[in-house]
Coordinates of all heavy atoms in Angstrom, one line a residue:
M1 N -73.1 -10.1 -5.6 CA -73.0 -8.7 -5.8 C -72.0 -8.0 -4.8 O -71.5 -7.0 -5.1 CB -74.3 -8.0 -5.7 CG -75.2 -8.2 -7.0 SD -74.6 -7.1 -8.1 CE -75.6 -7.5 -9.4
P2 N -71.8 -8.7 -3.6 CA -70.9 -8.0 -2.7 C -69.6 -7.9 -3.3 O -68.8 -6.9 -3.0 CB -70.9 -8.9 -1.5 CG -72.1 -9.8 -1.6 CD -72.5 -9.8 -3.1
Q3 N -69.1 -8.8 -4.1 CA -67.8 -8.7 -4.8 C -67.8 -7.5 -5.7 O -66.7 -6.9 -5.8 CB -67.6 -10.0 -5.6 CG -66.2 -10.1 -6.3 CD -65.1 -10.3 -5.2 OE1 -65.4 -10.7 -4.1 NE2 -63.9 -10.0 -5.6
N4 N -68.8 -7.2 -6.4 CA -68.8 -6.0 -7.3 C -68.8 -4.8 -6.6 O -68.1 -3.8 -7.0 CB -70.2 -6.1 -8.2 CG -70.1 -5.1 -9.3 OD1 -69.1 -4.6 -9.6 ND2 -71.3 -4.9 -9.9
S5 N -69.4 -4.6 -5.4 CA -69.3 -3.3 -4.7 C -67.9 -3.1 -4.0 O -67.4 -2.1 -4.0 CB -70.4 -3.3 -3.6 OG -70.1 -4.2 -2.6
K6 N -67.3 -4.3 -3.7 CA -65.9 -4.3 -3.2 C -64.9 -3.8 -4.3 O -64.0 -3.1 -4.1 CB -65.5 -5.6 -2.6 CG -64.1 -5.6 -2.0 CD -63.8 -6.8 -1.4 CE -62.5 -6.7 -0.6 NZ -61.5 -7.6 -0.9
T7 N -65.2 -4.4 -5.5 CA -64.3 -4.0 -6.6 C -64.5 -2.5 -6.9 O -63.5 -1.8 -7.3 CB -64.7 -4.8 -7.9 OG1 -64.6 -6.2 -7.5 CG2 -63.7 -4.5 -9.0
S8 N -65.7 -1.9 -7.0 CA -65.9 -0.5 -7.3 C -65.3 0.3 -6.2 O -64.8 1.4 -6.4 CB -67.4 -0.3 -7.5 OG -68.1 -0.5 -6.4
T9 N -65.4 -0.1 -4.9 CA -64.8 0.6 -3.7 C -63.2 0.6 -3.9 O -62.6 1.7 -3.7 CB -65.1 0.0 -2.4 OG1 -66.6 0.0 -2.3 CG2 -64.6 0.8 -1.2
D10 N -62.7 -0.5 -4.3 CA -61.2 -0.6 -4.5 C -60.8 0.3 -5.7 O -59.8 1.0 -5.7 CB -60.8 -2.0 -4.8 CG -60.9 -2.9 -3.6 OD1 -60.9 -2.3 -2.5 OD2 -60.8 -4.1 -3.7
A11 N -61.6 0.4 -6.7 CA -61.2 1.2 -7.9 C -61.4 2.6 -7.6 O -60.5 3.4 -8.0 CB -62.2 0.8 -9.0
A12 N -62.3 3.0 -6.7 CA -62.5 4.4 -6.3 C -61.3 4.8 -5.4 O -60.8 5.9 -5.6 CB -63.8 4.6 -5.6
T13 N -60.9 3.9 -4.5 CA -59.8 4.2 -3.7 C -58.5 4.3 -4.4 O -57.7 5.2 -4.2 CB -59.6 3.0 -2.6 OG1 -60.8 2.9 -1.9 CG2 -58.5 3.3 -1.6
D14 N -58.3 3.4 -5.5 CA -57.2 3.5 -6.3 C -57.1 4.8 -7.1 O -56.1 5.4 -7.3 CB -57.1 2.3 -7.2 CG -56.8 1.0 -6.5 OD1 -56.2 1.0 -5.4 OD2 -57.0 -0.1 -7.1
F15 N -58.3 5.2 -7.6 CA -58.4 6.4 -8.4 C -58.0 7.6 -7.6 O -57.3 8.5 -8.0 CB -59.8 6.6 -9.0 CG -60.0 7.8 -9.8 CD1 -59.5 7.9 -11.1 CD2 -60.7 8.9 -9.3 CE1 -59.7 9.0 -11.8 CE2 -60.8 10.1 -10.0 CZ -60.3 10.1 -11.3
E16 N -58.5 7.6 -6.3 CA -58.2 8.7 -5.4 C -56.7 8.8 -5.1 O -56.1 9.8 -5.0 CB -59.0 8.6 -4.1 CG -60.5 8.9 -4.3 CD -61.3 8.6 -3.0 OE1 -60.7 8.4 -2.0 OE2 -62.6 8.6 -3.1
A17 N -56.1 7.6 -5.0 CA -54.6 7.6 -4.6 C -53.8 8.0 -5.8 O -52.9 8.8 -5.6 CB -54.3 6.1 -4.3
V18 N -54.3 7.6 -7.1 CA -53.6 8.1 -8.2 C -53.8 9.6 -8.4 O -52.8 10.3 -8.8 CB -54.1 7.3 -9.5 CG1 -53.6 7.9 -10.8 CG2 -53.6 5.9 -9.4
S19 N -54.9 10.1 -8.1 CA -55.2 11.5 -8.2 C -54.3 12.3 -7.2 O -53.8 13.4 -7.6 CB -56.7 11.8 -7.9 OG -57.0 13.1 -8.0
R20 N -54.2 11.8 -6.0 CA -53.3 12.5 -5.1 C -51.8 12.5 -5.5 O -51.1 13.4 -5.3 CB -53.5 11.9 -3.6 CG -54.7 12.2 -2.9 CD -54.7 11.8 -1.4 NE -54.4 10.4 -1.3 CZ -55.4 9.4 -1.3 NH1 -56.6 9.7 -1.3 NH2 -55.0 8.1 -1.1
Q21 N -51.4 11.3 -6.0 CA -50.1 11.2 -6.6 C -49.7 12.2 -7.7 O -48.7 12.8 -7.8 CB -49.7 9.8 -7.0 CG -49.6 8.8 -5.8 CD -49.4 7.4 -6.2 OE1 -49.5 7.0 -7.4 NE2 -49.2 6.5 -5.2
I22 N -50.8 12.3 -8.6 CA -50.6 13.2 -9.7 C -50.5 14.7 -9.2 O -49.7 15.5 -9.7 CB -51.8 13.1 -10.7 CG1 -51.6 11.7 -11.4 CG2 -51.8 14.2 -11.7 CD1 -52.7 11.4 -12.4
D23 N -51.3 15.0 -8.2 CA -51.2 16.4 -7.6 C -49.9 16.6 -6.9 O -49.4 17.7 -7.1 CB -52.4 16.5 -6.5 CG -53.8 16.6 -7.2 OD1 -53.8 17.0 -8.4 OD2 -54.8 16.4 -6.4
A24 N -49.4 15.6 -6.2 CA -48.1 15.7 -5.7 C -47.1 15.9 -6.8 O -46.1 16.7 -6.6 CB -47.8 14.5 -4.8
L25 N -47.2 15.1 -7.8 CA -46.2 15.3 -8.9 C -46.3 16.6 -9.5 O -45.2 17.2 -9.9 CB -46.5 14.2 -10.0 CG -45.6 14.1 -11.2 CD1 -44.1 13.8 -10.7 CD2 -46.1 13.0 -12.2
R26 N -47.4 17.2 -9.7 CA -47.6 18.6 -10.2 C -46.9 19.5 -9.3 O -46.2 20.5 -9.8 CB -49.0 19.0 -10.4 CG -49.7 18.3 -11.6 CD -51.1 18.7 -11.7 NE -51.7 18.1 -12.8 CZ -53.0 17.8 -12.9 NH1 -53.8 18.1 -12.0 NH2 -53.5 17.2 -14.0
A27 N -47.1 19.4 -8.0 CA -46.4 20.3 -7.1 C -44.9 20.2 -7.1 O -44.2 21.2 -7.2 CB -46.9 20.1 -5.7
D28 N -44.4 19.0 -7.2 CA -43.0 18.7 -7.4 C -42.4 19.3 -8.6 O -41.3 19.9 -8.6 CB -42.6 17.2 -7.3 CG -42.8 16.6 -5.9 OD1 -43.0 17.4 -5.0 OD2 -42.9 15.4 -5.8
L29 N -43.1 19.2 -9.7 CA -42.7 19.7 -11.0 C -42.7 21.3 -11.0 O -41.8 21.9 -11.6 CB -43.5 19.2 -12.1 CG -43.3 17.8 -12.6 CD1 -44.4 17.4 -13.7 CD2 -42.0 17.7 -13.1
S30 N -43.7 21.8 -10.2 CA -43.7 23.3 -10.1 C -42.5 23.8 -9.4 O -41.8 24.8 -9.8 CB -45.0 23.7 -9.4 OG -45.0 25.1 -9.2
H31 N -42.1 23.1 -8.3 CA -40.9 23.5 -7.5 C -39.7 23.3 -8.4 O -38.8 24.1 -8.3 CB -40.9 22.6 -6.2 CG -42.0 22.9 -5.2 ND1 -42.1 24.2 -4.7 CD2 -42.9 22.2 -4.7 CE1 -43.1 24.2 -3.8 NE2 -43.7 23.0 -3.8
L32 N -39.6 22.2 -9.0 CA -38.4 21.9 -10.0 C -38.3 23.1 -11.0 O -37.2 23.6 -11.2 CB -38.6 20.6 -10.6 CG -37.4 20.2 -11.6 CD1 -36.1 20.0 -10.8 CD2 -37.8 18.9 -12.3
V33 N -39.4 23.5 -11.6 CA -39.3 24.6 -12.6 C -38.8 25.9 -11.9 O -37.9 26.6 -12.5 CB -40.7 24.8 -13.3 CG1 -40.8 26.1 -14.0 CG2 -41.0 23.6 -14.2
E34 N -39.3 26.2 -10.8 CA -38.8 27.4 -10.0 C -37.3 27.3 -9.8 O -36.6 28.2 -9.9 CB -39.6 27.6 -8.8 CG -41.0 28.0 -9.0 CD -41.8 28.0 -7.7 OE1 -41.2 27.9 -6.6 OE2 -43.1 28.2 -7.7
T35 N -36.9 26.1 -9.3 CA -35.5 25.9 -8.9 C -34.7 26.0 -10.2 O -33.6 26.8 -10.1 CB -35.3 24.6 -8.3 OG1 -36.1 24.5 -7.2 CG2 -33.8 24.3 -7.9
V36 N -35.0 25.4 -11.3 CA -34.2 25.5 -12.5 C -34.1 26.9 -13.0 O -33.2 27.4 -13.5 CB -34.8 24.5 -13.5 CG1 -34.1 24.7 -14.9 CG2 -34.5 23.0 -13.1
G37 N -35.3 27.6 -13.0 CA -35.4 29.0 -13.4 C -34.4 29.9 -12.6 O -33.7 30.7 -13.1
G38 N -34.4 29.6 -11.3 CA -33.5 30.5 -10.4 C -32.0 30.2 -10.7 O -31.2 31.1 -10.9
I39 N -31.6 28.9 -11.0 CA -30.3 28.5 -11.3 C -29.9 29.1 -12.6 O -28.8 29.7 -12.8 CB -30.1 27.0 -11.3 CG1 -30.3 26.4 -9.9 CG2 -28.8 26.6 -12.0 CD1 -30.4 24.8 -9.8
A40 N -30.8 29.0 -13.6 CA -30.5 29.6 -14.9 C -30.3 31.1 -14.9 O -29.4 31.6 -15.5 CB -31.6 29.2 -15.9
G41 N -31.1 31.8 -14.1 CA -31.0 33.2 -13.9 C -29.7 33.6 -13.3 O -29.0 34.5 -13.8
R42 N -29.2 32.9 -12.3 CA -28.0 33.1 -11.6 C -26.7 32.9 -12.6 O -25.8 33.6 -12.6 CB -27.8 32.3 -10.4 CG -28.7 32.9 -9.2 CD -28.3 32.2 -7.9 NE -28.5 30.8 -7.8 CZ -29.6 30.2 -7.6 NH1 -30.7 30.9 -7.4 NH2 -29.7 28.9 -7.6
R43 N -26.9 31.8 -13.3 CA -25.8 31.4 -14.2 C -25.7 32.4 -15.4 O -24.6 32.7 -15.8 CB -25.9 30.0 -14.8 CG -25.6 29.0 -13.7 CD -25.4 27.6 -14.3 NE -25.0 26.7 -13.3 CZ -24.8 25.4 -13.4 NH1 -25.1 24.9 -14.6 NH2 -24.4 24.6 -12.4
G44 N -26.9 32.8 -15.8 CA -26.9 33.9 -16.9 C -26.2 35.1 -16.5 O -25.5 35.7 -17.2
K45 N -26.4 35.5 -15.2 CA -25.8 36.7 -14.7 C -24.3 36.5 -14.6 O -23.4 37.4 -15.1 CB -26.3 37.1 -13.3 CG -27.7 37.7 -13.4 CD -28.1 37.9 -12.0 CE -29.7 38.4 -12.0 NZ -30.2 38.6 -10.6
H46 N -23.9 35.3 -14.2 CA -22.4 35.0 -14.1 C -21.8 34.9 -15.5 O -20.7 35.4 -15.7 CB -22.2 33.7 -13.3 CG -22.5 33.8 -11.9 ND1 -21.8 34.7 -11.0 CD2 -23.4 33.2 -11.1 CE1 -22.4 34.6 -9.8 NE2 -23.3 33.6 -9.8
M47 N -22.5 34.4 -16.4 CA -22.1 34.2 -17.8 C -21.9 35.5 -18.4 O -20.8 35.8 -19.1 CB -23.0 33.4 -18.6 CG -22.5 33.0 -20.0 SD -23.7 32.1 -21.0 CE -24.1 30.7 -20.0
G48 N -22.8 36.5 -18.2 CA -22.6 37.8 -18.7 C -21.3 38.5 -18.2 O -20.6 39.1 -18.9
S49 N -21.1 38.4 -16.9 CA -19.9 38.9 -16.3 C -18.6 38.3 -16.8 O -17.6 38.9 -17.0 CB -20.0 39.0 -14.8 OG -19.9 37.7 -14.2
D50 N -18.7 37.0 -17.0 CA -17.6 36.2 -17.5 C -17.2 36.6 -18.9 O -16.1 36.8 -19.3 CB -17.8 34.7 -17.5 CG -17.8 34.1 -16.1 OD1 -17.4 34.8 -15.1 OD2 -18.3 33.0 -15.9
I51 N -18.3 36.8 -19.8 CA -18.1 37.2 -21.1 C -17.4 38.6 -21.2 O -16.5 38.9 -22.0 CB -19.4 37.2 -22.0 CG1 -19.8 35.7 -22.1 CG2 -19.3 37.9 -23.2 CD1 -21.1 35.5 -22.8
S52 N -18.0 39.5 -20.3 CA -17.4 40.9 -20.4 C -15.9 40.9 -19.9 O -15.1 41.6 -20.4 CB -18.3 41.8 -19.6 OG -18.2 41.5 -18.2
G53 N -15.7 40.0 -18.9 CA -14.3 39.9 -18.4 C -13.4 39.3 -19.5 O -12.3 39.7 -19.7
G54 N -14.0 38.4 -20.3 CA -13.2 37.8 -21.4 C -12.9 38.8 -22.5 O -11.8 38.8 -23.0
F55 N -13.8 39.7 -22.8 CA -13.6 40.7 -23.8 C -12.6 41.6 -23.3 O -11.7 42.1 -24.1 CB -14.9 41.5 -24.1 CG -15.8 40.8 -25.1 CD1 -17.2 40.7 -24.8 CD2 -15.3 40.2 -26.2 CE1 -18.1 40.1 -25.6 CE2 -16.2 39.5 -27.1 CZ -17.6 39.5 -26.8
G56 N -12.6 42.0 -22.0 CA -11.5 42.9 -21.5 C -10.2 42.2 -21.5 O -9.2 42.9 -21.9
E57 N -10.1 41.0 -21.2 CA -8.8 40.3 -21.3 C -8.3 40.2 -22.8 O -7.1 40.4 -23.1 CB -8.9 38.9 -20.8 CG -9.0 38.8 -19.3 CD -9.2 37.4 -18.7 OE1 -8.9 36.5 -19.5 OE2 -9.8 37.3 -17.6
A58 N -9.2 39.9 -23.7 CA -8.9 39.8 -25.1 C -8.4 41.2 -25.7 O -7.4 41.3 -26.4 CB -10.1 39.4 -26.0
K59 N -9.1 42.3 -25.2 CA -8.6 43.6 -25.6 C -7.3 43.9 -25.1 O -6.4 44.4 -25.9 CB -9.6 44.6 -25.1 CG -9.3 46.1 -25.4 CD -10.4 47.0 -24.9 CE -10.0 48.4 -25.2 NZ -11.0 49.3 -24.6
H60 N -7.0 43.5 -23.9 CA -5.7 43.8 -23.2 C -4.6 42.9 -24.0 O -3.5 43.5 -24.3 CB -5.7 43.4 -21.8 CG -4.4 43.5 -21.1 ND1 -3.9 44.8 -20.8 CD2 -3.5 42.6 -20.7 CE1 -2.7 44.6 -20.2 NE2 -2.5 43.3 -20.1
Y61 N -4.9 41.7 -24.3 CA -4.0 40.8 -25.0 C -3.7 41.4 -26.4 O -2.5 41.4 -26.8 CB -4.5 39.4 -25.1 CG -3.7 38.5 -26.0 CD1 -2.6 37.9 -25.5 CD2 -4.0 38.2 -27.3 CE1 -1.7 37.1 -26.3 CE2 -3.3 37.4 -28.1 CZ -2.1 36.8 -27.6 OH -1.3 36.1 -28.3
V62 N -4.7 41.9 -27.1 CA -4.5 42.4 -28.5 C -3.6 43.7 -28.3 O -2.7 43.9 -29.2 CB -5.8 42.7 -29.2 CG1 -5.6 43.6 -30.4 CG2 -6.5 41.4 -29.5
A63 N -3.8 44.6 -27.3 CA -3.1 45.7 -27.2 C -1.6 45.4 -26.9 O -0.7 46.0 -27.4 CB -3.7 46.6 -26.1
Q64 N -1.5 44.5 -26.0 CA 0.0 44.1 -25.7 C 0.7 43.4 -26.8 O 1.8 43.6 -27.1 CB 0.0 43.1 -24.5 CG -0.4 43.7 -23.2 CD 0.5 44.8 -22.7 OE1 0.1 46.0 -22.8 NE2 1.7 44.5 -22.4
T65 N 0.0 42.6 -27.6 CA 0.6 42.0 -28.7 C 0.9 43.0 -29.8 O 2.0 42.9 -30.4 CB -0.4 40.9 -29.3 OG1 -0.7 40.0 -28.3 CG2 0.2 40.1 -30.5
G66 N 0.0 43.9 -30.1 CA 0.3 45.0 -31.1 C 1.5 45.8 -30.6 O 2.4 46.2 -31.5
K67 N 1.6 46.2 -29.4 CA 2.8 46.9 -28.9 C 4.0 46.1 -29.0 O 5.1 46.7 -29.4 CB 2.5 47.4 -27.4 CG 1.5 48.4 -27.2 CD 1.3 48.8 -25.8 CE 0.2 49.8 -25.6 NZ 0.0 50.1 -24.2
S68 N 3.9 44.8 -28.7 CA 5.2 44.0 -28.8 C 5.6 43.9 -30.3 O 6.8 44.0 -30.6 CB 4.8 42.6 -28.3 OG 5.9 41.7 -28.6
A69 N 4.6 43.7 -31.2 CA 5.0 43.6 -32.7 C 5.6 44.9 -33.1 O 6.5 45.0 -33.9 CB 3.8 43.3 -33.4
E70 N 5.0 46.0 -32.6 CA 5.5 47.4 -33.0 C 6.9 47.6 -32.5 O 7.8 48.0 -33.3 CB 4.5 48.5 -32.4 CG 5.0 49.9 -32.8 CD 4.1 50.9 -32.1 OE1 3.1 50.5 -31.5 OE2 4.4 52.1 -32.2
H71 N 7.2 47.2 -31.3 CA 8.6 47.3 -30.7 C 9.6 46.4 -31.5 O 10.7 46.7 -31.8 CB 8.6 47.0 -29.3 CG 8.0 48.0 -28.4 ND1 8.3 49.3 -28.4 CD2 6.9 47.8 -27.6 CE1 7.6 49.9 -27.6 NE2 6.6 49.1 -27.1
Q72 N 9.1 45.2 -31.9 CA 10.0 44.3 -32.7 C 10.2 44.8 -34.1 O 11.4 44.8 -34.6 CB 9.3 42.9 -32.8 CG 9.3 42.1 -31.5 CD 8.6 40.8 -31.8 OE1 7.9 40.5 -32.8 NE2 8.7 39.9 -30.7
L73 N 9.3 45.5 -34.7 CA 9.5 46.1 -36.0 C 10.4 47.2 -35.9 O 11.3 47.3 -36.7 CB 8.1 46.5 -36.6 CG 8.1 47.2 -38.0 CD1 8.7 46.2 -39.0 CD2 6.7 47.7 -38.3
E74 N 10.3 48.1 -34.9 CA 11.2 49.2 -34.7 C 12.6 48.7 -34.5 O 13.5 49.2 -35.1 CB 10.7 50.1 -33.5 CG 9.5 50.9 -33.9 CD 9.0 51.7 -32.7 OE1 9.6 51.6 -31.6 OE2 8.0 52.4 -32.8
A75 N 12.7 47.7 -33.7 CA 14.1 47.1 -33.5 C 14.7 46.5 -34.8 O 15.9 46.7 -34.9 CB 14.0 46.0 -32.4
S76 N 13.9 45.9 -35.6 CA 14.4 45.4 -36.8 C 14.8 46.5 -37.7 O 15.9 46.4 -38.5 CB 13.3 44.5 -37.5 OG 13.0 43.4 -36.8
V77 N 14.1 47.6 -37.8 CA 14.4 48.7 -38.6 C 15.7 49.4 -38.2 O 16.5 49.7 -39.0 CB 13.3 49.7 -38.7 CG1 13.7 51.0 -39.4 CG2 12.1 49.1 -39.5
V78 N 15.8 49.5 -36.8 CA 17.1 50.1 -36.3 C 18.3 49.2 -36.5 O 19.4 49.6 -36.9 CB 16.9 50.3 -34.7 CG1 18.2 50.7 -34.1 CG2 15.9 51.5 -34.5
D79 N 18.1 47.9 -36.4 CA 19.1 46.9 -36.7 C 19.6 46.8 -38.1 O 20.7 46.6 -38.4 CB 18.8 45.5 -36.1 CG 18.8 45.5 -34.6 OD1 19.3 46.5 -34.0 OD2 18.2 44.6 -34.0
H80 N 18.6 46.9 -39.0 CA 18.8 46.7 -40.5 C 18.1 47.8 -41.3 O 17.2 47.6 -42.0 CB 18.3 45.3 -41.0 CG 18.7 44.2 -40.1 ND1 20.0 43.7 -40.2 CD2 18.0 43.5 -39.2 CE1 20.0 42.7 -39.3 NE2 18.9 42.5 -38.7
P81 N 18.7 49.1 -41.3 CA 18.0 50.2 -41.9 C 18.0 50.0 -43.4 O 16.9 50.4 -44.1 CB 18.7 51.4 -41.5 CG 20.1 50.9 -41.0 CD 19.8 49.5 -40.5
L82 N 19.1 49.6 -44.0 CA 19.0 49.4 -45.5 C 18.0 48.4 -46.0 O 17.4 48.7 -47.0 CB 20.5 49.1 -46.0 CG 21.5 50.2 -45.8 CD1 22.9 49.8 -46.2 CD2 21.1 51.5 -46.5
L83 N 17.9 47.3 -45.3 CA 16.9 46.3 -45.7 C 15.5 46.9 -45.5 O 14.7 46.7 -46.4 CB 17.0 45.1 -44.7 CG 16.1 43.9 -44.9 CD1 16.3 43.3 -46.3 CD2 16.2 42.9 -43.9
A84 N 15.2 47.7 -44.5 CA 13.9 48.3 -44.3 C 13.6 49.2 -45.4 O 12.5 49.2 -45.9 CB 13.9 49.0 -43.0
I85 N 14.6 50.0 -45.8 CA 14.3 50.9 -47.0 C 14.1 50.1 -48.3 O 13.3 50.5 -49.0 CB 15.6 51.9 -47.1 CG1 15.6 52.9 -45.9 CG2 15.5 52.7 -48.4 CD1 16.8 53.7 -45.9
G86 N 14.8 49.1 -48.5 CA 14.7 48.3 -49.7 C 13.3 47.6 -49.7 O 12.7 47.6 -50.8
L87 N 12.9 47.1 -48.6 CA 11.6 46.5 -48.5 C 10.5 47.5 -48.8 O 9.4 47.2 -49.5 CB 11.3 45.8 -47.2 CG 12.1 44.5 -47.0 CD1 11.9 44.0 -45.5 CD2 11.6 43.5 -47.9
A88 N 10.6 48.7 -48.2 CA 9.6 49.8 -48.3 C 9.5 50.2 -49.9 O 8.4 50.4 -50.4 CB 9.9 51.0 -47.5
A89 N 10.8 50.3 -50.5 CA 10.8 50.7 -51.9 C 10.1 49.7 -52.8 O 9.4 49.9 -53.7 CB 12.2 51.0 -52.3
G90 N 10.5 48.4 -52.5 CA 9.9 47.2 -53.2 C 8.4 47.2 -53.1 O 7.7 47.0 -54.1
A91 N 7.9 47.4 -51.9 CA 6.5 47.4 -51.7 C 5.8 48.5 -52.4 O 4.7 48.5 -53.0 CB 6.2 47.5 -50.2
G92 N 6.5 49.7 -52.4 CA 5.9 50.9 -53.2 C 5.9 50.6 -54.6 O 4.9 51.0 -55.3
L93 N 6.9 50.0 -55.2 CA 6.9 49.7 -56.6 C 5.8 48.7 -57.0 O 5.2 48.8 -58.0 CB 8.3 49.2 -57.1 CG 9.4 50.2 -57.1 CD1 10.8 49.5 -57.4 CD2 9.1 51.2 -58.2
L94 N 5.6 47.7 -56.2 CA 4.6 46.6 -56.4 C 3.3 47.3 -56.4 O 2.4 47.0 -57.2 CB 4.7 45.6 -55.3 CG 3.8 44.4 -55.4 CD1 4.0 43.6 -56.8 CD2 3.9 43.5 -54.2
V95 N 3.0 48.2 -55.4 CA 1.7 48.8 -55.3 C 1.4 49.7 -56.5 O 0.4 49.8 -57.1 CB 1.5 49.6 -54.0 CG1 0.3 50.5 -54.0 CG2 1.5 48.6 -52.8
G96 N 2.5 50.4 -56.9 CA 2.4 51.3 -58.0 C 2.1 50.6 -59.4 O 1.3 51.0 -60.2
A97 N 2.8 49.4 -59.5 CA 2.6 48.6 -60.7 C 1.2 48.0 -60.7 O 0.6 47.9 -61.8 CB 3.6 47.5 -60.8
M98 N 0.7 47.6 -59.6 CA -0.6 47.0 -59.5 C -1.8 48.1 -59.8 O -2.8 47.8 -60.3 CB -0.9 46.3 -58.2 CG -0.1 45.0 -58.1 SD -0.2 44.3 -56.4 CE -1.9 43.9 -56.3
S99 N -1.5 49.3 -59.3 CA -2.5 50.4 -59.5 C -2.6 50.9 -60.9 O -3.7 51.5 -61.3 CB -2.3 51.5 -58.5 OG -1.0 52.2 -58.9
R100 N -1.6 50.7 -61.7 CA -1.6 51.1 -63.1 C -2.6 50.3 -64.0 O -3.2 50.7 -65.0 CB -0.3 51.1 -63.8 CG 0.6 52.2 -63.3 CD 1.9 52.2 -64.2 NE 3.0 52.7 -63.3 CZ 4.2 52.7 -63.6 NH1 4.5 52.1 -64.8 NH2 5.1 53.1 -62.9
R101 N -2.7 49.1 -63.6 CA -3.6 48.1 -64.4 C -4.9 48.3 -64.2 O -5.8 48.5 -63.7 CB -3.1 46.7 -64.1 CG -1.7 46.4 -64.5 CD -1.3 45.1 -64.2 NE 0.2 44.9 -64.4 CZ 0.7 43.8 -64.7 NH1 0.0 42.7 -64.9 NH2 2.0 43.7 -65.0

């Protein structure tokens, strides 16, 4: 029977060791969750500012592109006034013909 009491003592010691390791693992996981949550929060704030900055850049790009297209159109009309009048008249006739149907 001495072998049996030694086995049960070893099992109890092993169980206590596993229990301590599980408690340590829980504490480590808790710290990991806090760390990941903090990182996600900071990245979320940065992502929001990056997105708003991107919208600002896109708005500026669209405004500049629109102004550039407008200037190119004005230059084309100045360079070729008869062509511009012909295109406008043709577009007007096309719209008029489509609206009758």
